[in-house]
Amino acid sequence: MKVSHLSLNNDNEVTGLELDVLAETAWRHPGTIGFLMTDAGFGGCTRELTKEEL
């Protein structure tokens, strides 16, 4: 999921500052399994996978 999000950012330039900040924040959280942007890009929505318990 992280590689997919980074590709949307670096290769396609469709994620946007706000989504990149959310991604960076999520990736630093110990309960995060995955995070990526979905939808049509340019401010779409996100999907997060998290552990049920830390």
Side-chain angles (χ1 to χ4, degrees):
M1 290 178 80
K2 184 174 185 176
V3 171
S4 176
H5 181 85
L6 291 172
S7 175
L8 289 168
N9 179 14
N10 300 325
D11 300 332
N12 301 304
E13 299 178 348
V14 296
T15 60
L17 176 63
E18 294 83 356
L19 289 172
D20 293 338
V21 169
L22 287 172
E24 290 293 333
T25 303
W27 293 329
R28 285 193 302 266
H29 191 277
T32 299
I33 298 169
F35 176 102
L36 63 85
M37 186 205 77
T38 61
D39 205 16
F42 303 105
C45 57
T46 64
R47 291 192 181 207
E48 302 84 18
L49 293 177
T50 59
K51 295 178 183 177
E52 188 172 340
E53 296 180 19
L54 295 176

